[in-house]
Amino acid sequence: MVSSAAEAVADIATGASLAVGGFGLCGIPHVLIEALHATGVDDLRVVSNNCGVDVWGLGVLLKDHRISRVIGSYVGENKEFARQYLGGELEVELTPQGTLAERLRAGGSGIPAFFTPAGVGTMIADGGLPWRYGPSGEVVVSSPPKEVREFGGKEYVLEEGIVTEFALVRAAIGDRHGNLVMHESARNFNPLVAMAGRITIAEVEELVEPGALVPEQIHVPGVFVQRVVGPVGTEGKQIEKRTTRPRPEA
């Protein structure tokens, strides 16, 4: 247990690598992100499915140019992300979503690399995918070619596992030993991110005593978690896409 989010992120230094959980705005560790923003660190190398939106989640760090590199799979809801990438201010390694999930899981499981069919015959495998643009729109850094090998008559591309110095995750319920339970879609990336960090910090909405969680319900065993902050409650959650027409009566 750590007494505050500020204390939990205090040793994340400029230039650190950081995996961050969440799916869209669902299950993002916004309390820890805000605490990290307050420290003023920059040149962060972030791994996350997406980068929040312009004014929420990782978008807060991005807006103030605290992030220098992103490994992710989706950028569609963040205009500032797209602007920085196309303007040469941000290096981006786009990765197929399932591949990103497996790279995080592999890193957390001690697997250095694996073969997958996703990306074979494309720039993912062949190289040349723009990672960083220059100020005039020219490509200055592009992805290298990856090893492709045939198994059972089918080609597969070699992808490396991901391990980061830190990981930030959010859980609906957690105990003091770091056992975590995520709620519905928040489970999409948070457990994998928790595995991939050498130091994983979890913010929990509800804190319970060890033994209160049924083992079969635990999504992240405490062995993967080094720091717990909570309870943080549910205040501050954002909705990415609001309903714009009345719902029919139940």
Side-chain angles (χ1 to χ4, degrees):
M1 291 300 303
V2 181
S3 61
S4 68
E7 180 184 345
V9 302
D11 57 345
I12 300 179
T14 290
S17 60
L18 188 69
V20 181
F23 191 70
L25 294 185
C26 201
I28 62 172
H30 64 87
V31 175
L32 292 169
I33 291 172
E34 290 169 4
L36 183 60
H37 180 265
T39 68
V41 297
D42 58 9
D43 192 27
L44 296 170
R45 321 298 171 88
V46 171
V47 182
S48 183
N49 176 63
N50 53 293
C51 217
V53 294
D54 291 332
V55 295
W56 195 247
L58 287 173
V60 174
L61 292 169
L62 192 70
K63 174 175 64 69
D64 288 344
H65 294 85
R66 305 287 185 82
I67 299 174
S68 60
R69 191 175 198 276
V70 174
I71 299 177
S73 72
Y74 181 67
V75 302
E77 303 302 327
N78 193 317
K79 295 181 178 65
E80 178 63 13
F81 187 112
R83 188 199 66 77
Q84 288 189 25
Y85 173 46
L86 297 175
E89 302 171 24
L90 179 69
E91 187 169 303
V92 178
E93 181 181 341
L94 287 173
T95 304
Q97 194 169 70
T99 298
L100 178 61
E102 183 62 11
R103 289 181 68 187
L104 290 163
R105 191 199 69 82
S109 301
I111 298 170
F114 59 92
F115 283 95
T116 173
V120 170
T122 74
M123 297 170 85
I124 294 293
D126 300 340
L129 193 67
W131 279 2
R132 181 184 286 275
Y133 289 96
S136 301
E138 73 281 13
V139 176
V140 295
V141 180
S142 59
S143 65
K146 298 174 182 177
E147 180 183 349
V148 175
R149 193 181 298 182
E150 187 175 300
F151 296 92
K154 186 174 181 178
E155 289 188 327
Y156 296 79
V157 59
L158 183 67
E159 294 281 0
E160 295 185 2
I162 293 175
V163 177
T164 58
E165 296 170 78
F166 295 90
L168 308 181
V169 299
R170 185 179 180 96
I173 309 172
D175 65 23
R176 291 185 290 103
H177 291 172
N179 298 303
L180 307 176
V181 176
M182 281 78 184
H183 181 64
E184 295 185 353
S185 297
R187 190 179 170 191
N188 283 359
F189 271 91
N190 272 302
L192 308 172
V193 165
M195 294 173 68
R198 290 193 177 96
I199 297 176
T200 293
I201 310 169
E203 61 180 63
V204 300
E205 295 173 11
E206 179 186 350
L207 184 66
V208 299
E209 289 300 309
L213 296 175
V214 178
E216 291 79 8
Q217 295 176 337
I218 292 171
H219 299 138
V220 178
V223 68
F224 289 115
V225 180
Q226 282 67 50
R227 300 172 191 169
V228 177
V229 179
V232 300
T234 58
E235 291 186 10
K237 288 186 174 185
Q238 302 290 311
I239 297 173
E240 191 167 358
K241 297 289 187 183
R242 292 187 177 274
T243 301
T244 55
R245 55 187 167 81
R247 294 183 183 274
E249 291 298 324

